[in-house]
């Protein structure tokens, strides 16, 4: 879920859309792992991914804001997506080569 430019829509919005082209975030904003700035008072801002209202855009807010966390799973290159659309009712299915 990496890559993007602040407040610029990513054309593919791969981090906001599931395989069916629907919103994978709904109305939730979710954190990235990238800080946007550190403030001399000891606070920090972190980038987040916009929700279905502005899909495919990055913005930033203070680390103490209420934003969703989405876990990331790294898979070996030999793992293939063999089915599913990535929705809650039809999750992706994976197989090892």
């Amino acid at each position: 879920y990496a890559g993007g430019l602040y407040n610029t829509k990513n054309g593919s919005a791969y981090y906001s859309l599931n395989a069916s082209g629907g919103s994978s975030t709904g109305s939730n904003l979710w954190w990235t792992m990238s800080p946007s700035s550190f403030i001399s008072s000891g606070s920090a801002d972190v980038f987040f991914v916009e929700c279905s209202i502005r899909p495919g855009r990055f913005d930033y807010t203070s680390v103490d804001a209420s934003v969703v966390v989405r876990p990331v799973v790294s898979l070996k290159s030999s793992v293939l997506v063999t089915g599913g659309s990535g929705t809650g009712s039809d999750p992706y299915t994976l197989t090892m080569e």
Side-chain angles (χ1 to χ4, degrees), residues 4-88:
L5 184 61
Y6 165 68
N7 203 28
T8 302
K9 182 172 174 41
N10 177 305
S12 62
Y14 64 91
Y15 39 73
S16 294
L17 302 175
N18 60 31
S20 299
S23 173
S24 61
T25 63
S27 60
N28 295 314
L29 307 173
W30 51 276
W31 292 121
T32 68
M33 295 290 291
S34 301
S36 64
S37 63
F38 296 98
I39 302 165
S40 60
S41 65
S43 184
D45 289 339
V46 176
F47 285 106
F48 63 87
V49 176
E50 290 276 2
C51 59
S52 58
I53 297 167
R54 292 176 47 178
R57 290 185 185 265
F58 286 108
D59 206 338
Y60 64 91
T61 190
S62 174
V63 295
D64 61 359
S66 294
V67 178
V68 173
V69 175
R70 295 182 73 192
V72 174
V73 177
S74 297
L75 303 172
K76 291 183 178 183
S77 60
S78 59
V79 175
L80 302 173
V81 176
T82 56
S85 65
T87 65

